[in-house]
Amino acid sequence: MSLAEVQNAISEKKICVLIPTYNNEKTLKRVIDGVLNYTESIIVVNDGSTDSTPHILAQYPQITVISLPENKGKGNGLKTGFRAAKKLGFDYAITIDSDGQHYPDDIPVFVEALLQKKEDVLLIGNRNMSQDGIPKKSSFGNRFSNFWFWFETGIKLEDTQSGYRLYPLHKIPKKYFTPKFEFEIEIIVRTAWRHIPVKNVPIKVLYDPAERVSHFRPFKDFTRISILNTILVTITLFYIIPRNFVNNFKKKSFKRFIQEDVLESDGSNRTKAFSIALGVFIGLSPFWGFQTLLVISLSVLFKLNKVLAFVASNVSLPPFIPFIIAASLFLGAPFVSGDSDILSQDLNFELIKNNLLQYVIGSFILSTTFSAIAGIASFLFLNKVSPESN
């Protein structure tokens, strides 16, 4: 796209550029000047900077500046900018960090990708994290974040931590629960839960230790991110996956739902064997009251056969419970110096209560062992009776 075409598209699609900044006096002017090549629809949120940032921003009367009295975190700055952008009539916001790592001349990449889509989309810049100069902790953090984003949404991305993004302002959630760096994880996960596509687009990245100022606090912020992911995973397993399962049932005919979402007859023998193994593991594990919910949720998440997994999880039917309790307590005894003479006692939940750690350890040993046996045995059996489905 030519420069004029990009500028026209930014105007027609009502796109603004949002720049949250905190004490980035070395690079802020360069970033703003680069963005001005494409548009004057710029919103800068000065998040309580204590350096020369106010003086720099005073040189740009043509842009919108929001100055916060104190620093409250990047997430809070972005939320403030989003609210302002919507009030000013914008439909999309491209966010770019002010620390100099992003190149303003990548703005056309986002604009062109948006124009190619027939629906609203959230775009995230995909940095080359393997290039020279990228800190190892950044590469690790990105891989860590990518995994949990996939687990929570089923969407595979190569970069989920880049702050260079395009947001569809009227499709993202209206309320948020996190104020700092973890906000950028919360917003993409919760937007994906709203069935808005989340895609990567290729961008350049510059890491210059001489001028880049990072406000990321490794221990505190990583802890906050870990807590957030724990909450998001819990919501995924207990609400999002069951919700999607029910919604698919409502959208499809009963016959199609049974074929595609339940029987999954085209699944490979390996998939079916893993499904049985998962069912046996959950059925023998100490997840009383949650076994059905867990086995269905995990089957959907890992695209396994839900019916086979559910049937296999019923290995813990009431007639078998005394044997499961006895085996679990026996296997767990050597690890906690517990009582292995369980046959002389009543096998009930009171016995479990009094030997809880022994039971939990033993039950996971039992479930792992029998899950592996069931998976291998079913795979060999399925290969024998239907080798063509491999």
Side-chain angles (χ1 to χ4, degrees), residues 245-262:
F245 189 77
V246 172
N247 288 342
N248 286 338
F249 175 76
K250 291 179 179 179
K251 292 178 182 178
K252 300 176 181 178
S253 66
F254 182 76
K255 180 179 180 181
R256 183 181 167 200
F257 176 80
I258 292 297
Q259 289 177 336
E260 295 181 3
D261 292 77
V262 179

Side-chain angles (χ1 to χ4, degrees), residues 14 22 47 97 124-125 128 139 142 154 187 204 206 217 249 268 278 292 321 361-362 365:
K14 297 181 180 179
Y22 174 61
D47 191 20
D97 291 346
I124 302 176
N128 179 8
S139 298
N142 191 51
I187 190 171
K204 304 181 291 294
L206 171 66
R217 302 162 300 177
F249 175 76
S268 67
L278 172 67
T292 298
I321 289 178
I361 293 174
I365 295 173

Side-chain angles (χ1 to χ4, degrees), residues 183-254:
F183 170 84
E184 291 184 299
I185 296 174
E186 179 191 353
I187 190 171
I188 61 173
V189 171
R190 293 182 57 206
T191 299
W193 285 349
R194 294 161 69 96
H195 306 295
I196 302 301
V198 182
K199 306 287 186 180
N200 274 143
V201 292
I203 62 169
K204 304 181 291 294
V205 64
L206 171 66
Y207 276 85
D208 186 346
E211 61 179 13
R212 182 171 182 263
V213 178
S214 175
H215 303 292
F216 186 83
R217 302 162 300 177
F219 179 76
K220 287 186 178 181
D221 289 319
F222 187 79
T223 299
R224 295 174 71 99
I225 290 171
S226 298
I227 293 172
L228 173 64
N229 276 318
T230 300
I231 296 171
L232 294 176
V233 166
T234 302
I235 295 173
T236 298
L237 293 176
F238 291 95
Y239 173 68
I240 298 300
I241 290 177
R243 180 203 67 179
N244 292 344
F245 189 77
V246 172
N247 288 342
N248 286 338
F249 175 76
K250 291 179 179 179
K251 292 178 182 178
K252 300 176 181 178
S253 66
F254 182 76

